[in-house]
Amino acid sequence: MAVWSGGRLTIYEATQGAQVVKANVAKSLALDPAVIDVKSSYVGGGFGQKGPP
């Protein structure tokens, strides 16, 4: 899920690589990575989260 609010994009993603998600989304949408936040709650170990987007 993604929310655009107040000039910032917040992405809620079950990923092991939040920085990778941020970089890929920034490149895909031609956005400054500084306006993107990726929230990935720890759900227990590497098997509980996904790989790259």
Side-chain angles (χ1 to χ4, degrees), residues 8 13-14 19 23 32 36 39-40 48-52:
R8 295 194 66 78
E13 173 64 21
Q19 294 301 319
D32 180 353
I36 301 173
K39 307 289 184 180
S40 181
Q49 295 183 302
K50 299 177 191 173

Side-chain angles (χ1 to χ4, degrees), residues 21-35:
V21 171
K22 178 187 260 193
N24 287 336
V25 170
K27 183 176 180 180
S28 296
L29 299 179
L31 292 173
D32 180 353
V35 302

Side-chain angles (χ1 to χ4, degrees), residues 3-5 8 10 15-16 23 31-33 35 38 40 42 47-48 52-53:
V3 178
W4 183 262
S5 178
R8 295 194 66 78
T10 303
T15 181
Q16 294 180 36
L31 292 173
D32 180 353
V35 302
V38 178
S40 181
Y42 179 74
F47 295 106

